[in-house]
Amino acid sequence: MKSPKFDYVRAGSVADAMTAYAEADGDAVFVSGGHSVVPSLALRLQAPALMIDLSAIEALSGIDLRDGWLRIGAMTRHAQAMTDPLIATHAPLFAAAAPFVAHPAIRNRGTLGGSLAHADPASEFPAAALAMRAELEIASAQGIRRVPADDFFVDIYETAIEPGEVLQAIHVPCAVAGQMVAFDEIARRRGDYAMVGAAVQAVSAGEGLQDVSIAMFSVGNRPVRAASAQVALTGRALDAPAIAAAQAALADDLDPPDDPQFPASMRLHLARVLLGRVLAKLETAA
Amino acid sequence: MTAGNEHIGQAHRRGNALRHLAGRGRFVTDLALPRMLHAAFVRSPMARGRIAELDVSDAAAAPGVVRVFTAETLNKTCAPWTGTLEHFAGMKSAPQNILAEGAVLWAGHPVTMILAHSRAEAEDACELVLLDIEEEEAVVDGDAALLDGAAPASEGIDSNLCFRTVLETPGLDDAFASAAHVVEESFTFGRHTAVTLEPRAVIADFDPSTGQLTVHQGTQTPYQFQDVYARHFGLPESKVRVIAPDVGGSFGMKLHVYNEEMATVAASLTLGRPVRFVADRLESFVSDIHARDHRVTARMAVDAAGTILAMDVDDMTQIGAFSTYPRTSVAEGNQVIRLMGAPYRMPDYRGRLSVVFQNKVQTSQYRAVGHPIACAVTEALVDRAAEQLDLDPFEIRARNLVADDAYPHVSATGYQFEKLSHQTSLAKLRQLMDYDTLRSEQAELRRQGIYRGIGIAPFVEITNPGAAFYGVGGARISAQDGAVVRLTPGGDVQCAISVTEQGQGTETIIAQIVADQLGVTPDQVKVTTGDTDTTPSGGATWACRGAGIGGETALRAGRRLQAQILAIAGAVLQADPATLALAGGAVIDSGTGRERITLAEIGRIATYRPDTLPEGCDNSLSAVQHFAPTGYPFDFTNGIQASHVEVDIETGVTRLLKHWVVEDCGRIINPLLVDEQIRGGVVQGLGPAFFEECLYDDMGQMTNASLADYLVPMAGEMPDIEIAHVETPTLDTILGAKGVGEAGTAAAGAAAMNAVNDALRPLGARISQTPMTPLRILTALGHV
Ligand SMILES: Cc1cc2nc3c(=O)[nH]c(=O)nc-3n(C[C@H](O)[C@H](O)[C@H](O)COP(=O)(O)OP(=O)(O)OC[C@H]3O[C@@H](n4cnc5c(N)ncnc54)[C@H](O)[C@@H]3O)c2cc1C
């Protein structure tokens, strides 16, 4: 399919981008890597009059440490998440998730900001952001605000970003001593969106696990924090009974959709299996 | 005087592959003609309904739009087509025409054609067409479609049974009554589709000043389309030229008649200007033929020693609202019931086939027509019988495969085999895969909770088809091929031949064969294919004929020219032609090997100085040869495949560890291309075994009609494929080559299904439905 006609502007700054959006009366779409937007235009799922390209905006790129947080510019490409040393140290779940996202050609263009803004519930990076307790920096006409990941993902393809606002950066708290992470997913083919995925972060502190953070994805309408499973693990040694308790607790955390091709019971089963495997990896990574 | 065989049997690379790598491919979409219009179609969003209102006035007035056609304005230019053949006695199908008239019969059925200056403008205008359809209940399920009182899937048919046939040997009931064991199973084989790299593409270009229609079409059968367009649009055959330039894969999919191609031709004839249609991926899914879609119940009788006595099979296959034209949608099921048990001595058989209409995309012939179904059913039952008798899968097959010295042999279903090598292949496979080591490794890993499985599947493949396939049923489908081979005045060789190239290397092997007849190198032979004006008429590509029939045609044409060249050389040299031969680009003395005169010199004399030839010496440097297979109705090939898998019993995900193929396609012309045919074929067998499926909801909507949701097999999931050969040439031809294009597809899925079930066996679970998805495996394991 061919997309309907649209105009194109390349914004020089976030302010320019927001002005262009306002001047188009909202009949516009931002584009970063374009690997979600462009297919949806070609499929005629949307037909905006104007495409506003964010890729040349300097304020959206760059990766640096600020006040105990790692600030990752929204335009950071998926491929950079696999190679950047700061991301490897302080946002290791982005690095761990990236190889599961599509294929090299797509990772070269797709951006972390675009992936989070798009908020596909089967996507890897949103879950990684949730598990790392990231905060999202959003620019609007009123100024800049930071939204915790727990409040950012609202529904399928829906986030705390209001129409016309720009996601500028992702802030991830710097790594602490004893921090462990693990990431995995079950997919039909390598590079596919996951059938079920899990991103886990925790701190091993002497007598037991602390700060346990578990984000499951492809289990609902957004990445889901497995709060009961976190409780089941907190303060405990990472042993088989603890893992089993966390797996059992998932039934309270997840309410997966039901589909003849993918029954809810199968998703829950896979989520339990995967969580067990990911936690086992966490153990060996420690 | 026969020439040497320097190039036949050698691993020559495909010349056209280099051209494609260099970005010099010329596909239909690379062609831009002056005044060309672009087509887009408004399609039925529903599987079954009546058009209550169709208003195209806004679309007709949209920017860039030149013309809008509906059934009322377009169908009258075309004689309707009906997908039946006489040798399928009693089969029926309603006549079809280009655009839906009143009734829409599948989701995707084209209703309106819009022609604009660009495809984008045509698509914009599609959104302006007002189409109101009163939805009717769709016929979705094949079993329900056959119940009394079920509404027919199309108009003008009295029931949804397109065709039924039963084959039965007299001893069947006795065989089952006397059997020590009877194993039985029901199978479901999903629908899938071709997903060629290049989608369907056509440019029709009618020139009213000459009455000439030229159709550039990505197809494997240009001559068939020349005939179809001439007859259905009332044009003289000589005024229809079909050109198939580079074609990016076809696999049977591009040899059927589609509404959109007919519309494109009709529109060009009406408007007198070029019209182009290129299917996008979304419309490919709802208009390219789908494949398979069978439900099979089968049982097998064996005696106490594990001898297979009989099979009893019932196949119900679902084909869409119409049988395809001109080859029908019955050939697939017909081959399913005739190929059952084909590698085995099995004396008795009953096969019942029901071909059923429903409101979905048409299904029809796709690579390895019927073979994967027959092979999977047969081999699953053989494994079950082995299990009952506590026999190793190799052992039960060794006891039942037709012995290599027992030919000619006729199967219980009437297929005649000239000479096959099942037992040699079986032994070779066992060695190739190091079977005994794999089995002990399997046992060891099971103790660690790792479930690996090994599956094997012998097969036969139908190749080199003669007229028995379609011609006898009244289809105007060529059962022969033709070639013109000529020596240029400069001493090079050109061969124009009717077999066609879709990436499999046809042109390369034809050059090798011709080169050997004329004592030149393959790169001195320029091969032309795919143009009905410049090549002789023939079958082109279908059912594995390029090497076996096309190759034989080229060989005989080459020999004819060789004789002509030697006659001229004899006259020039005043030598007996019988003492001369061709080698190294020259005429040589066959006794001493000494060069006598170059081909370039022969070309020069015959072309520029024919006056120097003796009186009565024919100076022709072109030879024409047509060839139709005689002898056996088909040349069967055989082989055996093995699959090694690991099933993650917690997630239902299967990892394909390795695949092996031992194959006997007779004389091998180019081992490189043969192996790649097998590998590609295996992947097209594994795809539908694990990933590919056209899913429909109960309203008849395809629910995964995009490449985001329809899973094609990718390199990352495919195993390494190791190949070995046995060579049993056919004696029906000089060349001795049989086909190989469908061998990989024929048995890959069967081997894989046996491997998965081997892995699941200790858990008491079985799967008999493809694709073998995680959901189905988890269901079999009781996790869902
Ligand atoms: C073949 C293929 C396979 C894929 N497989 C996967 C996969 O396995 N897993 C996965 O997670 N993804 C996958 N993707 C999606 C890919 O990762 C996308 O590129 C990514 O999700 C979106 O990033 P982008 O930079 O391309 O965003 P774009 O397509 O440019 O934008 C996506 C959305 O976000 C909005 N947006 C973008 N940037 C901003 C911003 N800074 N502020 C506000 N709004 C913004 C856009 O307006 C749009 O709505 C796949 C894509 C393809 C084509």
Side-chain angles (χ1 to χ4, degrees):
Chain A
M1 293 201 91
K2 309 289 180 198
S3 65
K5 262 198 189 131
F6 56 82
D7 285 332
Y8 169 90
V9 294
R10 173 174 286 203
S13 67
V14 171
D16 284 354
M18 292 195 296
T19 306
Y21 193 95
E23 282 172 359
D25 282 334
D27 192 5
V29 67
F30 293 129
V31 64
S32 289
H35 273 47
S36 294
V37 166
V38 174
S40 88
L41 293 179
L43 293 168
R44 294 185 176 236
L45 297 174
Q46 49 178 326
L50 176 67
M51 175 185 276
I52 304 165
D53 187 347
L54 305 178
S55 64
I57 301 175
E58 214 155 295
L60 301 187
S61 60
I63 301 165
D64 52 285
L65 288 167
R66 290 186 195 177
D67 311 326
W69 294 76
L70 183 69
R71 182 187 186 276
I72 303 170
M75 273 307 300
T76 302
R77 309 282 178 182
H78 299 355
Q80 278 173 280
M82 295 167 75
T83 53
D84 184 83
L86 286 173
I87 289 182
T89 306
H90 297 292
L93 280 174
F94 280 156
F100 292 91
V101 181
H103 304 278
I106 290 147
R107 295 198 291 259
N108 286 340
R109 302 243 4 127
T111 65
L112 291 183
S115 178
L116 297 192
H118 190 55
D120 187 318
S123 250
E124 288 82 359
F125 292 125
L130 186 63
M132 291 188 293
R133 303 188 200 279
E135 293 187 2
L136 294 313
E137 178 186 316
I138 300 169
S140 73
Q142 285 72 45
I144 291 169
R145 67 183 189 284
R146 267 166 76 155
V147 178
D150 278 283
D151 302 329
F152 180 79
F153 299 105
V154 177
D155 206 337
I156 181 162
Y157 306 134
E158 197 184 326
T159 67
I161 305 171
E162 297 293 334
E165 297 183 342
V166 172
L167 175 64
Q168 296 200 131
I170 304 143
H171 296 265
V172 178
C174 285
V176 299
Q179 182 173 298
M180 309 183 292
V181 296
F183 184 97
D184 203 355
E185 69 179 39
I186 302 168
R188 293 290 299 278
R189 301 174 304 184
R190 186 165 179 82
D192 278 350
Y193 283 99
M195 291 197 283
V196 168
V200 179
Q201 179 170 301
V203 176
S204 132
E207 55 290 359
L209 295 176
Q210 297 301 331
D211 283 335
V212 181
S213 180
I214 301 176
M216 305 296 296
F217 58 103
S218 210
V219 290
N221 59 350
R222 56 191 169 132
V224 177
R225 179 172 295 289
S228 312
Q230 291 176 180
V231 170
L233 290 166
T234 301
R236 293 179 69 167
L238 191 57
D239 53 16
I243 291 176
Q247 287 175 302
L250 273 186
D252 297 332
D253 292 325
L254 306 182
D255 182 15
D258 204 27
D259 180 279
Q261 295 309 321
F262 204 162
S265 59
M266 173 168 168
R267 246 184 243 270
L268 190 57
H269 168 80
L270 290 180
R272 285 199 188 105
V273 169
L274 183 69
L275 183 62
R277 291 181 182 183
V278 170
L279 290 173
K281 283 212 284 188
L282 195 59
E283 186 178 38
T284 56
Chain B
M1 201 57 258
T2 56
N5 284 324
E6 281 176 75
H7 301 101
I8 293 175
Q10 299 299 311
H12 284 268
R13 295 215 170 125
R14 274 204 290 133
N16 51 15
L18 186 60
R19 189 164 55 75
H20 289 148
L21 277 176
R24 293 289 174 152
R26 261 181 79 92
F27 297 85
V28 169
T29 38
D30 292 313
L31 191 66
L33 298 178
R35 301 178 67 243
M36 184 166 79
L37 298 175
H38 298 257
F41 292 88
V42 176
R43 297 170 184 281
S44 170
M46 291 159 195
R48 182 83 159 101
R50 295 212 65 79
I51 299 173
E53 195 186 347
L54 177 59
D55 181 349
V56 300
S57 48
D58 286 353
V65 171
V66 173
R67 192 69 164 258
V68 178
F69 287 111
T70 61
E72 204 186 342
T73 48
L74 201 63
N75 289 9
K76 60 184 181 216
T77 62
C78 175
W81 61 92
T82 305
T84 56
L85 286 174
E86 286 154 22
H87 63 318
F88 299 126
M91 85 164 288
K92 69 182 181 214
S93 181
Q96 294 186 71
N97 211 316
I98 300 172
L99 296 171
E101 296 169 7
V104 290
L105 300 173
W106 78 91
H109 196 166
V111 175
T112 303
M113 179 191 211
I114 295 183
L115 296 165
H117 293 296
S118 72
R119 167 80 185 205
E121 286 169 323
E123 285 186 25
D124 288 344
C126 284
E127 295 183 350
L128 301 175
V129 170
L130 179 81
L131 172 60
D132 183 14
I133 295 175
E134 278 167 21
E135 190 162 9
E136 293 170 340
E137 201 179 327
V139 179
V140 177
D141 179 80
D143 287 319
L146 290 181
L147 297 177
D148 280 345
S154 68
E155 295 179 329
I157 52 170
D158 53 358
S159 81
N160 289 313
L161 185 65
C162 166
F163 178 65
R164 172 164 288 157
T165 193
V166 180
L167 305 175
E168 185 168 350
T169 59
L172 183 94
D173 290 335
D174 288 348
F176 274 93
S178 71
H181 302 276
V182 174
V183 288
E184 180 165 359
E185 190 145 10
S186 294
F187 302 82
T188 304
F189 298 96
R191 251 175 194 255
H192 59 90
T193 186
V195 199
T196 51
L197 266 184
E198 182 206 18
R200 278 165 43 225
V202 59
I203 296 172
D205 180 13
F206 180 63
D207 177 351
S209 72
T210 59
Q212 173 75 38
L213 172 71
T214 304
V215 183
H216 306 266
Q217 185 171 346
T219 177
Q220 59 190 84
T221 49
Y223 316 95
Q224 174 197 294
F225 282 103
Q226 178 188 31
D227 171 72
V228 166
Y229 296 144
R231 283 188 296 115
H232 288 272
F233 295 103
L235 300 166
E237 205 167 34
S238 63
K239 293 290 189 189
V240 180
R241 177 182 187 183
V242 177
I243 301 171
D246 283 334
V247 179
S250 184
F251 313 110
M253 186 273 282
K254 294 176 184 169
L255 55 62
H256 307 288
V257 168
Y258 293 97
N259 303 65
E260 293 82 0
E261 279 80 339
M262 297 299 258
T264 304
V265 170
S268 181
L269 288 169
T270 306
L271 299 177
R273 59 195 289 185
V275 175
R276 165 176 136 147
F277 167 72
V278 181
D280 69 27
R281 282 295 165 194
L282 299 185
E283 52 192 350
S284 290
F285 277 110
V286 297
S287 63
D288 292 0
I289 55 118
H290 294 174
R292 318 304 180 208
D293 205 354
H294 297 262
R295 280 180 206 154
V296 181
T297 310
R299 50 191 193 126
M300 178 180 276
V302 290
D303 71 11
T307 307
I308 301 170
L309 304 174
M311 279 177 82
D312 183 5
V313 175
D314 192 347
D315 177 22
M316 190 277 290
T317 179
Q318 312 169 84
I319 62 163
F322 302 99
S323 165
T324 51
Y325 183 71
R327 291 167 193 253
T328 82
S329 302
V330 165
E332 160 90 4
N334 190 54
Q335 282 186 197
V336 167
I337 60 158
R338 285 169 201 274
L339 284 164
M340 291 281 175
Y344 300 106
R345 278 196 319 274
M346 179 178 88
D348 283 301
Y349 179 73
R350 175 166 58 209
R352 180 173 179 264
L353 170 68
S354 309
V355 180
V356 182
F357 294 116
Q358 22 131 241
N359 296 112
K360 293 186 185 172
V361 172
Q362 289 176 306
T363 68
S364 197
Q365 286 83 318
Y366 168 79
R367 194 174 196 174
V369 181
H371 293 66
I373 312 303
C375 189
V377 168
T378 304
E379 298 311 321
L381 292 182
V382 172
D383 264 18
R384 294 207 72 170
E387 204 178 324
Q388 291 249 324
L389 289 147
D390 204 17
L391 285 176
D392 184 89
F394 270 88
E395 178 56 30
I396 191 167
R397 288 174 174 89
R399 291 187 193 180
N400 285 284
L401 287 167
V402 177
D404 293 357
D405 60 4
Y407 292 93
H409 173 79
V410 181
S411 76
T413 63
Y415 278 144
Q416 300 170 46
F417 304 114
E418 179 194 6
K419 185 153 173 55
L420 302 177
S421 59
H422 285 301
Q423 295 284 357
T424 308
S425 300
L426 182 76
K428 198 160 190 167
L429 176 73
R430 190 177 181 123
Q431 238 186 352
L432 183 72
M433 67 192 288
D434 199 358
Y435 181 69
D436 299 328
T437 308
L438 279 186
R439 280 284 179 217
S440 45
E441 177 196 85
Q442 178 187 38
E444 175 61 32
L445 289 171
R446 259 180 208 166
R447 284 190 282 277
Q448 301 167 31
I450 293 170
Y451 288 80
R452 291 198 170 170
I454 301 161
I456 62 173
F459 65 92
V460 300
E461 187 208 336
I462 300 176
T463 79
N464 294 2
F469 229 93
Y470 298 111
V472 296
R476 294 174 62 82
I477 290 166
S478 172
Q480 58 84 51
D481 279 285
V484 176
V485 178
R486 58 200 171 96
L487 190 71
T488 66
D492 282 345
V493 178
Q494 300 200 349
C495 174
I497 190 159
S498 61
V499 287
T500 52
E501 169 82 46
Q502 295 80 43
Q504 69 275 64
T506 307
E507 292 175 354
T508 305
I509 60 159
I510 295 300
Q512 288 175 254
I513 293 165
V514 170
D516 277 358
Q517 311 318 310
L518 298 174
V520 297
T521 57
D523 56 11
Q524 289 175 279
V525 182
K526 180 177 184 180
V527 179
T528 304
T529 63
D531 181 343
T532 59
D533 262 15
T534 61
T535 59
S537 188
T541 300
W542 59 270
C544 275
R545 60 189 300 112
I549 299 176
E552 181 73 5
T553 309
L555 180 146
R556 292 183 185 212
R559 290 199 176 179
R560 196 172 273 240
L561 180 59
Q562 176 198 96
Q564 290 170 206
I565 292 169
L566 293 181
I568 295 171
V572 172
L573 300 168
Q574 301 194 350
D576 178 358
T579 66
L580 302 174
L582 301 180
V587 178
I588 59 166
D589 183 294
S590 50
T592 64
R594 195 167 54 85
E595 180 179 314
R596 298 295 309 274
I597 185 171
T598 63
L599 289 177
E601 186 60 8
I602 295 284
R604 185 191 68 79
I605 293 170
T607 307
Y608 304 116
R609 295 304 307 274
D611 57 307
T612 63
L613 292 172
E615 181 84 23
C617 174
D618 186 349
N619 73 327
S620 300
L621 287 179
S622 300
V624 185
Q625 178 76 53
H626 285 253
F627 173 75
T630 53
Y632 285 85
F634 317 109
D635 285 330
F636 278 90
T637 69
N638 71 284
I640 183 165
Q641 302 196 19
S643 164
H644 190 209
V645 305
E646 183 174 307
V647 180
D648 183 332
I649 59 159
E650 288 186 319
T651 64
V653 174
T654 304
R655 205 149 62 88
L656 303 171
L657 301 173
K658 185 90 192 245
H659 202 92
W660 298 265
V661 183
V662 177
E663 212 274 340
D664 184 348
C665 60
R667 178 84 161 274
I668 292 176
I669 299 162
N670 183 326
L672 199 60
L673 294 176
V674 162
D675 284 4
E676 293 321 307
Q677 278 295 302
I678 292 171
R679 289 202 174 88
V682 165
V683 169
Q684 276 183 311
L686 294 176
F690 291 99
F691 300 104
E692 297 185 70
E693 185 170 22
C694 301
L695 295 164
Y696 278 84
D697 67 15
D698 50 19
M699 309 284 284
Q701 288 290 339
M702 187 173 165
T703 56
N704 63 337
S706 84
L707 283 178
D709 298 312
Y710 180 95
L711 306 182
V712 292
M714 309 258 269
E717 281 63 49
M718 289 299 105
D720 280 350
I721 301 164
E722 204 175 322
I723 298 165
H725 300 281
V726 178
E727 277 191 72
T728 311
T730 172
L731 302 180
D732 273 356
T733 61
I734 304 165
L735 185 62
K738 310 175 191 173
V740 73
E742 304 174 276
T745 310
M753 187 184 268
N754 279 353
V756 168
N757 281 322
D758 186 49
L760 297 179
R761 187 166 294 119
L763 302 163
R766 275 192 70 76
I767 184 163
S768 58
Q769 179 172 11
T770 61
M772 296 178 276
T773 62
L775 172 61
R776 289 173 186 148
I777 289 177
L778 288 178
T779 305
L781 287 165
H783 286 314
V784 180

